[in-house]
Amino acid sequence: GTANSSGATENHQLKEITLNAYKVATREYMAYEEEEDSLLVPLPIVRDAMIRRVARAVDKAYLLGAGAGADPVKGLALYDAAAAVTNAVGTAVTTAKLRALRKDLGAWGLDPSELVYIVSTDVYYDLLEDPLFQTMDKVGSAATVLTGQIGNIGNTPVLVSAEFANKAIGQTGAIVYAPANFIAGNQRGLRIDTQELVETQRKVLVASLRTGLTQTTTNLGAGVSKLDWAA
């Protein structure tokens, strides 16, 4: 019934997190003759290609960005600087190996439903040969086109990305991360601007957005673990 406590006094510390947004942009030039001489309307085709290029650039930055210079976004793989889990280039990646990635997360890996695996195409095809890998036709509706999820490991969704480098020693083949430990934000969403260049008789199209990614805390570890290819 008193205000006294047998525990030691602890002070709450508020942390400031800075999320920088960086611009990614792509441009296309289209001469007037391209539209005049074409049986199809090329402008929508060009716009779709520009949107895909920007989307792939953002995906690669979030996964493998260097965090410096011309590649300013620090990707998820870089937050695990020294990979504790490796796999020989000539050996297939198994479900057990990906579970080792989750174990490497420590406290962040306790709840599998709060994690996400992202694997390369090489790892994806290895998993298809593993009888323990639960593909979406076994654990859920076949909504891969809508969600990107191609399987499940211990209640953790598995996504596949084509942005990983080819299988080679020192390259990253898969990551598992806790989305709760990262903040991704768009300072400005995708916009496409068009301008007529009368002097050169052509149009210029520019697609751009501003985005960024940062880590929230390191108290319980990085919240991300990667698998690198080894000899």
Side-chain angles (χ1 to χ4, degrees):
T2 68
N4 296 327
S5 172
S6 58
T9 301
E10 294 287 347
N11 295 324
H12 290 283
Q13 297 182 4
L14 299 180
K15 180 181 179 182
E16 182 179 286
I17 299 175
T18 301
L19 176 58
N20 294 321
Y22 303 97
K23 181 183 288 186
V24 56
T26 183
R27 68 174 181 260
E28 285 273 1
Y29 293 98
M30 182 178 297
Y32 292 169
E33 289 80 6
E34 291 184 68
E35 292 186 280
E36 295 167 355
D37 299 342
S38 176
L39 295 177
L40 301 174
V41 181
L43 188 59
I45 300 173
V46 173
R47 286 167 58 96
D48 288 346
M50 295 173 69
I51 293 171
R52 286 195 299 272
R53 285 205 299 271
V54 172
R56 291 191 60 184
V58 172
D59 285 349
K60 187 172 183 179
Y62 278 10
L63 285 175
L64 305 169
D71 192 6
V73 177
K74 184 176 180 180
L76 292 170
L78 205 64
Y79 284 97
D80 183 16
V85 181
T86 60
N87 197 86
V89 172
T91 304
V93 175
T94 63
T95 300
K97 184 68 73 170
L98 293 187
R99 285 202 176 101
L101 280 180
R102 177 186 160 196
K103 180 181 179 181
D104 186 53
L105 290 177
W108 282 111
L110 294 178
D111 188 346
S113 65
E114 295 183 357
L115 305 175
V116 176
Y117 286 103
I118 305 178
V119 303
S120 68
T121 53
D122 292 309
V123 174
Y124 167 60
Y125 288 115
D126 285 347
L127 291 175
L128 291 181
E129 301 297 325
D130 186 350
L132 297 179
F133 181 60
Q134 298 174 313
T135 52
M136 287 305 291
D137 61 331
K138 299 176 182 176
V139 297
S141 59
T144 304
V145 174
L146 301 179
T147 66
Q149 183 177 348
I150 50 93
N152 191 302
I153 296 177
N155 201 31
T156 301
V158 180
L159 311 180
V160 62
S161 172
E163 302 309 320
F164 289 100
N166 293 331
K167 184 188 293 188
I169 296 173
Q171 297 293 343
T172 298
I175 66 171
V176 61
Y177 79 106
N181 197 37
F182 293 89
I183 299 175
N186 292 323
Q187 185 72 16
R188 173 168 56 77
L190 180 67
R191 61 177 290 174
I192 298 180
D193 300 297
T194 305
Q195 186 175 6
E196 301 280 347
L197 302 177
V198 179
E199 181 182 5
T200 55
Q201 295 287 285
R202 57 181 179 167
K203 293 179 180 179
V204 58
L205 294 85
V206 178
S208 65
L209 57 79
R210 294 177 62 204
T211 188
L213 175 74
T214 192
Q215 191 178 55
T216 303
T217 179
T218 57
N219 291 348
L220 299 175
V224 59
S225 180
K226 66 178 179 178
L227 178 146
D228 279 354
W229 298 111

